[in-house]
Structure formats: structure tokens, C-alpha cells
Amino acid sequence: MLSVRGALGAERRLLRRLRSYLRDESSRLRRLRRFYEKVQALHQDPKASVENPLLAFSLIKRLHSDWPNVIYSDEVTRNTQALHAGLEEVEQELPGTEDLDGAARALMRLQDVYALSVRGLAKGVFQRAGHPPLYSPGRRVSLSADDCFHVGKVAYDTGDYYHSIAWLEEAVSLFRLSYGSWNLEDRSSLEDALDHLAFSYFMAGNISHALSLSREFLRYDPSNQRVSRNVAKYKKLLEMGTGASASPLQRPNSTRLQSRDAYEELCQRPRGQPAPERLLHLGCSYETNSSPYLLLQPAKKEMVRIQPYVALYHDFITDAEAETIKGLAGPWLQRSVVASGEKQQKAEYRISKSAWLKDTADPVVRALDQRIAAVTGLDLRPPYAEYLQVVNYGLGGHYEPHFDHATSKKSPLYRMKSGNRIATIMIYLSAVEAGGSTAFIYANFSVPVVKNAALFWWNLRRNGNGDGDTLHAGCPVLAGDKWVANKWIHEHGQEFRRPCSADPQD
């Protein structure tokens, strides 16, 4: 997965190369114009006769040497080669097809989760109908017709006509506005958009609209035999009474997420909290947890929920510590995986990059482990806790609803032979401009990203059973770059630190 910030650096270097190329080419073209104006002046001067032996000689020389030099200029080659060399220098940093398609899917994810309109997104507006903007960028950036076409094409190629129709409609609309003009960066056209949109409507069962779009296509390319055959096919189907009325398209649920509506509603909810009257029993406090480590600087604890038990510790780390952890993890980041039976694999419902840091990686990591142990009162010595996992959620990065604790004895978590994950502490290493909240689905609340704070919750009840109320998700990052560090603590070693209750149901 591509780093967007890394890609920005690569484009800056390409811009410098292009600036040099434009400067050199401008200089060459100025000399070329002077050559043109000199020769043109000779042709327009009635006194310039080839009977003059000097003019005759210069004509012959120009045609023999000057014109070939102008047309086959080595300078053109050198300038172009320098530009090509610049591209080769950053080639390893450039996005691949997987990155581009992933970015397109990220836009569709933001469209869905935050209920954004495609037209609004294309205009740079991040707003749900009837609500204030979710994000107001300092500089509004619009998508081109070609941009919208590519997003629609990614959906089209996977048979997702719900999304392909919305994005291709916008592409067609924008292409119509600019028809006849050509943009250097465009790789598609109005005809391409009409063609794909017509077939999307056909596959969605709206044959009459597919016919209308195909006819419009033929106005621009009347000799296209394939589209002509499609028109004949659509006419015949309509005559037979097929596809005269189409039912509304249903949005696909590729990950078969049962709690999708609740999850998305929490992600959209401002600050993620219910009415204040329900929060009267919660509060903030300075906590030492009977730890000498916290006597001089108690933890700033905000009680977020009693059930499930969720607490937010403000100013848990410093800016410098957060930057150190991100710097240590950066070179080792890889696409995050999830448990699938006894294996681990990549999944569309978790889009992020992660790396693992041992406490021996740096004194900052060791100090962080000591701080977590002091605040939670739990034993983090191996094998009672996992290494620190650092996660980066970039463009549209998210993690759909899941449990941190294992729900099956076949889970890879049990390979540590230290039991299930009893608790989670998640440290926010960065701020985000919008999105990225941690949503607890069944408990019906979410926690926004608070830079340098740590979110703690118990995954297991005291009887060792999983707490179903801890089903949670990382909402997609709408704007910004979200970094978190996760520490998962296992149940073995905690028997006297979090003992069982007298109530077997607790």
C-alpha cells in the first residue's frame, strides 16, 4: 500500500524536473521562433531574390542543414531524456494499479459510510443532505470527468453497478460540459463513459436508459458496430416487455456486515455521543492506581462508559514520543492482516498498514509499556502481552466491526499460550481532520480521535467470557492521517490483578 505522504514527496521531485524541462524547452522554443521569424521575413521580403548568390547559398544551406537540425534537434532529445530520468528516479515510489484502485474504493467507502453524494464529492464538498459539512478543506479540490470515470470503472470491473452508475453519471455530466476540448491528463472520453454507463444500466435492469445512452454514444461514433448491435438488442428486449421498469439498485454488502447501518450511523454522529442526560454518572479524575510511577504525574482519566468499561487517558504520551514511535514503525509498515480461522490474511474490511515494535526497539517503547502497566495495573511481561502494534490508516483507512478477543479456540491468538486478550489499550499518535472515530456498535457510542490520548477497555468479563458490548470499529478516515498504537494484554498473569467476581455472570 502506497504512503500518500511519500507519494507527495515523489511528485514534488517530478515537479522540479518538469520545471527544468519547461525552462529548457521554453529557451529552445524561443530560439526556434527566432529562426522561424527570420526565414518568414525572407519569404515575405519582395527584395529578397534567389538571384542573389548569397541568398541562394543560405537557402540551400538551410534546407540541407538547418531544417534537419531544427526538426531532429539533439536538444529536444536531451530535454526529454532528463525528464524521463526524473521519472525513473522515483519509479519505485510511484503508485501501482493496486494503489490507484484502492484509492478509488476508498472514495466509494467514504461515499457510503458518511452518506456523501457523488456530485458533492466531485465538487469537493463533504456534506450529507440537510447536515453541516463533515469536513471543510482550506482549499476545495474538484474531481475531473476522467477522475470520476476511473472510480466508476473500478466499480464496473467488479460488477458493482450501484457505485458504477453514480460515478459514471457524474463523469458523463462533466464530459458533456467540456466536450470538444482536450486535457493532457485525460485517458478516457465521453464515449467511454457513455459506453460503460449504458452497460451498467443494462446490468441493473434499466434497459430503456441503456438504450438512450447507447443512442447518444452513436451520435459521436456512428460507425461503432458493437454499440449498434447493443441498440438493436435493447430495442428487441423492450419490445418483448423486458426491462421497461427497473427496481432501485441495492447497495452491495461485500463483507456481509450485519451491523452496517448501526456502524455507519455512529461514524456519522457528531462527536459520537448520545444525549448528555445519559452521561451524568461519568466523570474525569486524576488517577495514581496505587502506582509509585504515577504519584508525581497522575493519569488524566475520563470515564467514557461503565458497560462496557471504556476509559480515555488524556495526554498519555508526548508529541516527541508519538513521533519516535511512528518513526520506528515507518520502515516496517505492511498491509494489516486479520485472523481467518487458523490463518491470517488481508481483508477489505480492514484497510491499514501496521508494524510491531518490541520493548527493546527503543527506550520510548519500554517507557510506554511501563506506563501502560501502571495505569491498567496489569502484567505486561512476556508472554502476558503482545508487542506494541503501530497502525497507520491513510486515505479511507478503516476497520469494520470486530472483537479484539478471540471468539474461537482455533484463533491464532491462542498460539501465545497465554489465554485470550483480556484488555486493549489504543493510543492515538496523531490527530485527524475528520472521521476515524472508534465506534462501539452494540453499546451505541463512539470516541473521536484525541491526539496523544489512550483508550482502554476490557475485552473479557471477569468470568473469562468475551464481552459482546466491545464489538467496535475504526471509522474510515475522512481527512487526515490516523496513527494508533495498540497494546493487547492477555488473561494469563492477571489472575490476581483482575480476579474473578463472586458473581459467575460477571
Side-chain angles (χ1 to χ4, degrees):
M1 289 176 68
L2 178 81
S3 162
V4 176
R5 293 191 183 277
L8 190 63
E11 187 167 55
R12 284 198 183 107
R13 294 200 293 279
L14 283 174
L15 273 174
R16 286 196 291 271
R17 286 283 188 168
L18 184 57
R19 184 176 61 212
S20 297
Y21 174 79
L22 290 171
R23 184 186 62 239
D24 295 341
E25 278 293 281
S26 296
S27 177
R28 182 183 70 82
L29 289 171
R30 281 195 300 272
R31 292 194 297 274
L32 196 60
R33 174 164 284 280
R34 285 197 296 270
F35 172 79
Y36 165 80
E37 289 171 349
K38 183 182 78 171
V39 176
Q40 178 73 354
L42 286 172
H43 279 262
Q44 291 177 341
D45 186 354
K47 297 178 182 178
S49 170
V50 291
E51 292 176 1
N52 183 330
L54 296 179
L55 285 175
F57 171 79
S58 64
L59 171 63
I60 293 167
K61 179 181 176 293
R62 279 200 308 276
L63 292 172
H64 177 270
S65 306
D66 297 357
W67 278 101
N69 285 343
V70 165
I71 294 170
Y72 301 109
S73 169
D74 290 339
E75 191 177 6
V76 175
T77 305
R78 285 196 303 272
N79 292 347
T80 305
Q81 284 175 343
L83 192 60
H84 289 174
L87 184 64
E88 289 169 6
E89 280 178 10
V90 299
E91 202 159 14
Q92 296 302 314
E93 302 171 55
L94 298 180
T97 302
E98 182 184 3
D99 295 307
L100 181 57
D101 291 354
R105 283 192 289 271
L107 289 183
M108 288 184 266
R109 187 179 309 120
L110 297 177
Q111 169 199 348
D112 291 342
V113 173
Y114 295 106
L116 304 173
S117 74
V118 171
R119 176 145 296 181
L121 275 174
K123 292 179 178 178
V125 177
F126 298 83
Q127 186 172 9
R128 289 186 293 148
H131 292 80
L134 292 166
Y135 166 57
S136 299
R139 178 178 178 178
R140 185 181 291 185
V141 177
S142 300
L143 296 179
S144 68
D146 190 64
D147 294 335
C148 295
F149 174 80
H150 184 82
V151 178
K153 179 72 162 50
V154 169
Y156 176 95
D157 287 342
T158 57
D160 174 8
Y161 302 112
Y162 173 88
H163 288 104
S164 73
I165 285 174
W167 285 93
L168 291 172
E169 282 278 16
E170 187 62 23
V172 165
S173 177
L174 292 172
F175 272 128
R176 282 174 179 151
L177 290 174
S178 60
Y179 191 75
S181 61
W182 179 78
N183 292 317
L184 175 66
E185 62 270 23
D186 282 357
R187 300 187 66 180
S188 57
S189 64
L190 174 59
E191 291 89 330
D192 292 324
L194 286 169
D195 191 17
H196 286 81
L197 182 58
F199 190 75
S200 295
Y201 271 114
F202 168 69
M203 293 301 292
N206 193 337
I207 296 173
S208 61
H209 200 45
L211 175 60
S212 174
L213 291 163
S214 299
R215 282 174 168 161
E216 183 180 352
F217 177 100
L218 289 176
R219 290 206 300 269
Y220 301 106
D221 185 6
S223 61
N224 192 296
Q225 295 300 310
R226 177 179 56 79
V227 176
S228 295
R229 287 194 296 272
N230 284 347
V231 166
K233 175 183 176 181
Y234 299 155
K235 283 181 179 178
K236 187 173 182 180
L237 287 170
L238 287 171
E239 287 169 3
M240 294 166 57
T242 306
S245 60
S247 56
L249 271 175
Q250 296 297 312
R251 180 179 142 204
N253 190 359
S254 57
T255 55
R256 297 177 177 82
L257 180 61
Q258 294 180 348
S259 54
R260 185 174 74 179
D261 291 345
Y263 156 59
E264 292 177 357
E265 192 275 328
L266 283 169
C267 290
Q268 295 165 17
R269 188 186 294 175
R271 303 295 295 174
Q273 300 293 2
E277 58 268 19
R278 297 183 57 190
L279 308 178
L280 296 176
H281 59 289
L282 305 177
C284 298
S285 59
Y286 286 103
E287 295 285 330
T288 62
N289 204 24
S290 302
S291 168
Y293 188 91
L294 298 173
L295 283 177
L296 294 179
Q297 190 173 355
K300 301 173 182 176
K301 179 180 176 181
E302 176 188 346
M303 201 64 215
V304 180
R305 275 295 180 285
I306 301 298
Q307 176 54 41
Y309 182 97
V310 180
L312 186 68
Y313 293 92
H314 292 265
D315 300 323
F316 191 77
I317 58 168
T318 65
D319 287 342
E321 288 172 328
E323 291 305 312
T324 297
I325 291 168
K326 289 192 287 184
L328 290 169
W332 306 102
L333 288 173
Q334 293 183 338
R335 172 76 183 267
S336 299
V337 295
V338 297
S340 177
E342 298 182 40
K343 300 179 181 178
Q344 291 189 322
Q345 62 184 29
K346 298 174 185 176
E348 270 301 304
Y349 63 83
R350 187 184 193 188
I351 302 295
S352 61
K353 293 183 291 185
S354 60
W356 298 84
L357 297 179
K358 296 182 180 181
D359 63 353
T360 54
D362 191 272
V364 168
V365 182
R366 191 177 303 114
L368 194 58
D369 271 5
Q370 292 172 344
R371 202 172 305 154
I372 293 169
V375 164
T376 62
L378 299 175
D379 191 343
L380 270 64
R381 294 174 301 169
Y384 303 141
E386 299 173 39
Y387 297 136
L388 189 71
Q389 186 198 48
V390 182
V391 187
N392 176 220
Y393 296 90
L395 173 62
H398 73 137
Y399 195 173
E400 286 186 354
H402 63 284
F403 291 108
D404 279 358
H405 61 274
T407 54
S408 164
K409 290 293 184 182
K410 294 182 179 180
S411 169
L413 292 179
Y414 284 103
R415 291 178 191 160
M416 290 182 66
K417 301 188 184 304
S418 54
N420 209 342
R421 287 173 172 168
I422 192 173
T424 294
I425 190 159
M426 181 170 68
I427 305 161
Y428 297 114
L429 303 176
S430 67
V432 297
E433 293 188 66
S437 296
T438 303
F440 288 80
I441 312 305
Y442 296 148
N444 191 31
F445 73 96
S446 64
V447 182
V449 174
V450 180
K451 188 177 187 298
N452 295 347
L455 193 65
F456 173 84
W457 67 88
W458 296 110
N459 293 307
L460 305 182
R461 298 183 181 278
R462 289 182 179 271
N463 62 12
N465 293 334
D467 187 342
D469 286 339
T470 63
L471 183 75
H472 64 285
C475 296
V477 177
L478 184 60
D481 199 19
K482 178 183 173 184
W483 287 79
V484 300
N486 296 310
K487 191 75 174 180
W488 287 300
I489 306 161
H490 285 241
E491 56 188 329
H492 292 184
Q494 321 304 338
E495 293 85 351
F496 299 104
R497 294 170 184 262
R498 194 196 187 214
C500 294
S501 166
D503 180 0
Q505 300 303 314
D506 185 8

